[in-house]
């Protein structure tokens, strides 16, 4: 089974982005000066990226512990990643619970998506698996990463959509959802 993300009707009607654009929420200087940022870029008609980050006032081990407590994630995450089950190790087969948009009734669209996990304990996890043909094919490279910033942590969430004609539409929809996840992770860890 391949991962699939439904498009909202407005997303299908939205034109592809003609140029890359950025939506920083704070100056991108040193790690310690970064509060929260996000940007998207269309690299070609079928290749786009989304990069987001947030500075969390906690040690990386504490951010990692909350980020990988998949059984309790849905308690603080209202968008995108809700949890993960399976063989949680590098190369392991997992199923993620993921919200992408909402259905016709306005309810969150929760999907169960199988992935092969890329995992480096205490530092990063993600996946790179194909999209189904009904949403344009290609694949994504989704990564969650923690980096030490003095006594704080920079949390980075990025995604790259490759060989998909809707790549720009995907990343435009993902940017605000990833920023919401990042802000909620920050609030959960700092609480």
């Amino acid at each position: 089974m391949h991962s699939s993300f439904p498009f909202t009707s407005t997303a299908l009607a939205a034109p592809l982005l003609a140029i890359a654009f950025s939506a920083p929420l704070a100056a991108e200087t040193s790690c310690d000066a970064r509060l929260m940022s996000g940007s998207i870029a269309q690299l070609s008609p079928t290749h786009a990226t989304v990069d987001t980050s947030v500075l969390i006032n906690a040690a990386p081990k504490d951010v990692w512990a909350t980020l990988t407590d998949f059984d309790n994630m849905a308690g603080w995450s209202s968008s995108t990643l809700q949890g993960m089950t399976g063989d949680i190790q590098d190369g392991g087969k997992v199923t993620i619970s993921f919200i992408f948009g909402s259905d016709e009734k306005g309810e969150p669209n929760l999907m169960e998506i199988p992935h092969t996990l890329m995992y480096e304990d205490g530092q990063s996890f993600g996946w790179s698996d194909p999209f189904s043909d009904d949403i344009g094919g290609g694949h994504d490279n989704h990564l969650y990463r923690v980096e030490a910033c003095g006594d704080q942590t920079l949390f980075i969430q990025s995604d790259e959509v490759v060989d998909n004609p809707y790549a720009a539409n995907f990343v435009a929809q993902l940017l605000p959802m990833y920023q919401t996840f990042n802000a909620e992770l920050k609030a959960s860890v700092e609480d």
Side-chain angles (χ1 to χ4, degrees):
M1 181 173 177
H2 298 290
S3 64
S4 62
F5 292 104
F7 286 106
T8 61
S9 58
T10 55
L12 286 174
L16 288 177
L17 299 172
I19 59 171
F21 72 91
S22 176
L25 298 178
E28 290 189 20
T29 55
S30 72
C31 181
D32 290 325
R34 238 189 251 192
L35 180 60
M36 186 169 181
S37 69
S39 65
I40 63 175
Q42 183 172 358
L43 306 175
S44 79
T46 61
H47 185 188
T49 62
V50 57
D51 293 289
T52 64
S53 64
V54 65
L55 188 61
I56 301 175
N57 189 24
K61 67 177 182 56
D62 297 328
V63 175
W64 184 257
T66 299
L67 179 65
T68 57
D69 183 1
F70 300 114
D71 292 338
N72 293 307
M73 184 175 281
W76 59 262
S77 174
S78 69
S79 69
T80 67
L81 189 59
Q82 298 293 292
M84 183 185 312
T85 58
D87 186 16
I88 300 176
Q89 65 175 337
D90 193 46
K93 301 295 183 192
V94 297
T95 300
I96 63 160
S97 299
F98 198 88
I99 293 175
F100 189 85
S102 55
D103 63 18
E104 311 78 46
K105 298 176 186 175
E107 296 294 318
N109 189 11
L110 181 64
M111 298 173 286
E112 301 288 321
I113 307 169
H115 284 294
T116 300
L117 193 62
M118 296 179 297
Y119 188 88
E120 190 170 347
D121 192 35
Q123 296 180 29
S124 66
F125 70 88
W127 47 82
S128 179
D129 290 311
F131 287 133
S132 62
D133 289 340
D134 65 331
I135 60 165
H139 69 279
D140 77 328
N141 300 310
H142 196 152
L143 187 65
Y144 302 81
R145 188 171 75 237
V146 297
E147 292 181 4
C149 289
D151 59 354
Q152 296 178 310
T153 302
L154 184 67
F155 171 69
I156 300 162
Q157 182 175 187
S158 62
D159 209 340
E160 176 184 36
V161 179
V162 182
D163 295 330
N164 184 292
Y166 308 112
N169 287 334
F170 273 126
V171 298
Q173 291 180 72
L174 292 171
L175 176 63
M177 291 188 283
Y178 288 2
Q179 288 182 312
T180 297
F181 179 91
N182 296 359
E184 290 174 341
L185 173 62
K186 176 180 174 70
S188 181
V189 172
E190 292 180 356
D191 211 9

